[in-house]
Amino acid sequence: MKRQKIKILPGDYTMLKLPSGSHVPEWVDKDRFYSITDTGEEMSVICAGEGTPEKYPHECSLKIFKIDSELAFSLTGIIHSVVAPLAEKNIPLFTVSTFSTDYFFIKMEHANKAVEALEPFHDIDYYGW
């Protein structure tokens, strides 16, 4: 597997669970990374952590690790190349894919350990973190 460039985006993020069919909340900062997925059973919102209400089930203090290249849909093993070293170190993660790339979210308390686990396999840019 080819080494990937992985960039850690600045800021802290929160993932919240809302009822399916909810409107996009006004507290979602649309000027920064955000993701909304509604499965018909639940709505998951990932957004900047500042100003998010604590009344919904949530996970906070997440760092975003971005595969910093455009990935063709035909490529295989990209997620595995990230998940395997993290699983070996017992580091939990949550992934989100877009049309062009993959993102994974790691709790701040595991972020430094995640960088150490990934550096032998990938090029990590954590300077903007």
Side-chain angles (χ1 to χ4, degrees):
M1 172 57 52
K2 176 184 158 194
R3 290 178 74 88
Q4 296 295 320
K5 293 178 184 175
I6 298 176
K7 182 176 184 177
I8 303 174
L9 302 182
D12 292 335
Y13 287 79
T14 297
M15 179 172 50
L16 304 98
K17 178 182 174 181
L18 280 67
S20 178
S22 297
H23 292 287
V24 176
E26 65 280 350
W27 40 259
V28 173
D29 182 351
K30 295 178 186 80
D31 292 328
R32 295 168 60 186
F33 179 100
Y34 73 98
S35 176
I36 297 173
T37 303
D38 194 324
T39 65
E41 297 172 1
E42 68 176 281
M43 177 187 276
S44 292
V45 176
I46 302 167
C47 61
E50 300 88 14
T52 56
E54 294 187 16
K55 67 180 183 177
Y56 301 106
H58 64 282
E59 290 289 335
C60 57
S61 298
L62 302 172
K63 293 303 296 179
I64 301 178
F65 289 61
K66 174 187 177 186
I67 306 291
D68 201 19
S69 60
E70 194 164 314
L71 304 171
F73 189 77
S74 60
L75 293 175
T76 61
I78 303 294
I79 295 290
H80 180 266
S81 75
V82 169
V83 171
L86 296 176
E88 188 174 301
K89 301 292 185 184
N90 295 314
I91 300 169
L93 76 152
F94 175 79
T95 63
V96 170
S97 295
T98 66
F99 188 87
S100 298
T101 196
D102 298 315
Y103 298 82
F104 52 102
F105 300 79
I106 296 177
K107 297 273 292 183
M108 178 63 92
E109 64 196 68
H110 300 293
N112 287 326
K113 190 175 171 184
V115 168
E116 291 172 7
L118 292 169
E119 278 184 320
F121 308 100
H122 301 287
D123 300 319
I124 313 295
D125 175 4
Y126 52 88
Y127 299 105
W129 157 5

